[in-house]
Amino acid sequence: MNIWLLVLALLFPGAAAAQPPAGRAVAITFDDLPFAAVPADDNASLVGVTSRLLQHLQAEQVPAVGFVNEAKLYREGSLDPARVGLLRSWLQAGFELGNHTASHPSLNRVPLDAFEADLLQGETVTRPLMQSAGRTLRWFRHPFLHLGTTPEVRVAFQEFLAAHGYTAAPVTVNNSEWVFAVAYARAQAEGDTEAAQRIGAAYAPYMDAVFARAEQQALDLFGRPIPHVLVLHANALNADHFDALAAMLRQRGYRFIELADALQDSAYASTVGYSGFNGESWLELWSRQAGLRPSQQPPVPGFVTQWAGPAANRGY
Ligand SMILES: [Zn+2]
């Protein structure tokens, strides 16, 4: 430690808080596999995006779970082996796959039986792929983080998940990464590399503010840091800029852990008894249950929202 920092720390013990606390941990998840928000969806481009993203994850030693929408494996009604190959490359790189339904419906909008049928349709390729990799399909992620608007639906769906061997994967770090991703893919598709660079460069600083907010929410609620679960998407933005995101997280004192290890923390034993219509993180839902009003999300820079266009309102 620098001598002046040592003197400062002795004079002002509170100043030590300026250092990132040791022991911060986050589990990283990617939704909408095999791809979301890419400038082009020909097979060569998709292989490029997937391999760049997986290389980042391997280089940063990030254990990740990728959540699949199997409807995206089909082109003109038939299963595209090249797209199945993208999922295979996640497994071959040592990552785990989860179910994110076939067609990304909202549990807040479609009847429970239709939603469950879509979920089961969403495991027809993934389950055998996981088996052939010696793994068991075990994670489910709700599209749009829509958990069902009534307690009856939430309880019935929970029972359905358990009966099919699934655990719902929570999210604690709510964020608008997908807005950056849509903007980035569009700037790239239009050949505006300068705009794409600018959007990419704004991504990690934005996520820095997103993490500061989630950390504060955990402190307000539990009085201590908790291991977080982050949702991102399998897009060109992360294929090109995940390294900056990982560097920011290490700077904040984070190490990357398995989803199952994050969920060992007692915070995740807290039930989610409340769910409004809009998708929210578990931290936000727990906060509302405790009578706390979640703070505003950090703003997405205006030029990013502009590039994203109406898709910025889609949600995930
Ligand atoms: Zn999704």
Side-chain angles (χ1 to χ4, degrees):
M1 186 188 269
N2 175 305
I3 184 72
W4 291 111
L5 286 179
L6 182 63
V7 169
L8 276 174
L10 290 172
L11 287 176
F12 306 102
Q19 296 284 324
R24 283 182 173 169
V26 61
I28 311 265
T29 62
F30 289 89
D31 283 9
D32 300 6
L33 265 62
F35 62 90
V38 287
D41 67 356
D42 59 286
N43 286 337
S45 304
L46 294 178
V47 167
V49 164
T50 304
S51 65
R52 292 202 304 280
L53 178 56
L54 294 177
Q55 275 166 22
H56 277 314
L57 297 179
Q58 287 178 311
E60 304 283 348
Q61 297 190 306
V62 176
V65 181
F67 289 89
V68 180
N69 294 129
E70 286 198 9
K72 291 185 169 181
L73 300 175
Y74 293 80
R75 272 212 294 196
E76 289 159 19
S78 52
L79 194 63
D80 182 346
R83 292 187 177 189
V84 177
L86 299 173
L87 297 185
R88 216 171 257 126
S89 54
W90 279 78
L91 290 169
Q92 279 161 359
F95 299 105
E96 188 170 357
L97 299 177
N99 187 333
H100 192 40
T101 73
S103 69
H104 211 278
S106 156
L107 184 51
N108 290 357
R109 291 181 189 275
V110 306
L112 180 61
D113 54 353
F115 187 85
E116 290 172 349
D118 198 295
L119 186 160
L120 293 177
Q121 208 188 323
E123 63 173 34
T124 48
V125 174
T126 310
R127 190 177 283 283
L129 273 182
M130 283 281 282
Q131 266 160 3
S132 61
R135 314 189 73 147
T136 307
L137 189 59
R138 56 175 171 160
W139 298 115
F140 173 77
R141 163 72 45 73
H142 296 79
F144 309 103
L145 302 184
H146 286 178
L147 311 185
T149 52
T150 67
E152 291 75 20
V153 165
R154 286 196 292 277
V155 169
F157 183 59
Q158 191 52 45
E159 286 166 2
F160 172 88
L161 284 180
H164 289 83
Y166 286 107
T167 299
V171 170
T172 60
V173 188
N174 203 352
N175 67 86
S176 297
E177 160 260 14
W178 88 89
V179 179
F180 282 78
V182 169
Y184 185 74
R186 192 174 147 218
Q188 279 196 322
E190 294 186 13
D192 194 334
T193 48
E194 200 185 313
Q197 271 306 322
R198 213 171 143 225
I199 295 160
Y203 174 43
Y206 162 78
M207 292 298 280
D208 199 25
V210 160
F211 267 84
R213 173 177 179 260
E215 287 156 13
Q216 188 58 50
Q217 286 176 329
L219 283 181
D220 291 347
L221 200 55
F222 296 105
R224 62 179 178 90
I226 63 164
H228 284 285
V229 180
L230 174 65
V231 59
L232 300 172
H233 294 79
N235 53 41
L237 175 72
N238 287 311
D240 297 340
H241 295 281
F242 183 83
D243 51 348
L245 179 69
M248 177 281 285
L249 287 170
R250 289 195 200 281
Q251 186 70 33
R252 291 192 79 83
Y254 280 92
R255 66 199 166 85
F256 301 108
I257 60 170
E258 300 268 357
L259 177 56
D261 291 337
L263 303 197
Q264 292 297 312
D265 188 282
S266 59
Y268 291 93
S270 318
T271 51
V272 176
Y274 169 89
S275 175
F277 190 82
N278 296 319
E280 290 189 294
S281 77
W282 268 235
L283 267 174
E284 287 161 339
L285 297 172
W286 289 328
S287 297
R288 289 187 193 281
Q289 256 167 237
L292 302 171
R293 194 152 158 244
S295 56
Q296 289 285 314
Q297 281 198 46
V300 175
F303 74 95
V304 177
T305 316
Q306 229 163 12
W307 267 102
N313 300 318
R314 182 186 65 94
Y316 52 89

